[in-house]
């Protein structure tokens, strides 16, 4: 079992930055791939980014590529999402997810464990 708790969300102006954190419980965090998804009101859950268990490979949605950076610190059981040049369309609840081997990085169905999410609001 893995429990995930996100933090770092908030209200920021367009062009600003936020860093989200996702703290995981359990001694086997380093064996899990991690993903970030987001969901805006009235929209489906959307893939944002993912990182392999060692951090050697990262994946991004086209909409955030070049602006967001995912990273992890296995010693701290934490995965991060650095978000720069934020846009109003980035407004959503951001949720982290974990799985030993996701069937597809971008597909939420492939992840077994989910956090509760943290709200990110970008004002224009």
């Amino acid at each position: 079992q893995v429990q995930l708790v996100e933090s770092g969300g908030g209200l920021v102006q367009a062009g600003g930055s936020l860093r989200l954190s996702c703290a995981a419980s359990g001694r086997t965090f380093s064996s899990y791939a991690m993903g970030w998804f987001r969901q805006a009101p009235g929209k489906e859950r959307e893939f944002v980014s993912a990182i392999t268990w060692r951090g050697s490979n990262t994946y991004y949605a086209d909409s955030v590529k070049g602006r967001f950076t995912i990273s992890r610190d296995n010693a701290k059981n934490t995965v991060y999402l650095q978000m720069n040049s934020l846009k109003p369309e980035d407004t959503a609840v951001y949720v982290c997810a974990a799985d030993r081997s996701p069937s597809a990085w971008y597909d939420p169905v492939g992840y077994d464990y989910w956090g509760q999410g943290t709200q990110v609001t970008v004002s224009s």
Side-chain angles (χ1 to χ4, degrees), residues 84-96:
N84 299 328
S85 302
L86 282 161
K87 305 175 181 179
E89 51 263 44
D90 294 319
T91 295
V93 174
Y94 284 71
V95 187
C96 69

Side-chain angles (χ1 to χ4, degrees), residues 16-47:
S17 298
L18 284 173
R19 188 176 82 154
L20 305 183
S21 300
C22 174
S25 65
R27 295 175 294 176
T28 59
F29 171 77
S30 60
S31 65
Y32 284 81
M34 301 295 296
W36 282 99
F37 291 79
R38 66 187 183 186
Q39 188 163 17
K43 294 188 176 181
E44 292 188 354
R45 187 163 287 185
E46 174 189 27
F47 170 74

Side-chain angles (χ1 to χ4, degrees), residues 48-110:
V48 176
S49 184
I51 188 167
T52 51
W53 65 275
R54 276 196 303 183
S56 53
N57 293 93
T58 57
Y59 306 89
Y60 297 94
D62 287 344
S63 58
V64 306
K65 203 171 292 184
R67 300 188 298 122
F68 291 10
T69 303
I70 191 171
S71 61
R72 66 189 296 161
D73 185 338
N74 287 342
K76 295 182 178 180
N77 281 13
T78 302
V79 63
Y80 304 97
L81 186 69
Q82 177 66 45
M83 306 187 297
N84 299 328
S85 302
L86 282 161
K87 305 175 181 179
E89 51 263 44
D90 294 319
T91 295
V93 174
Y94 284 71
V95 187
C96 69
D99 197 89
R100 289 189 182 274
S101 182
S103 53
W105 299 107
Y106 54 85
D107 188 352
V109 172

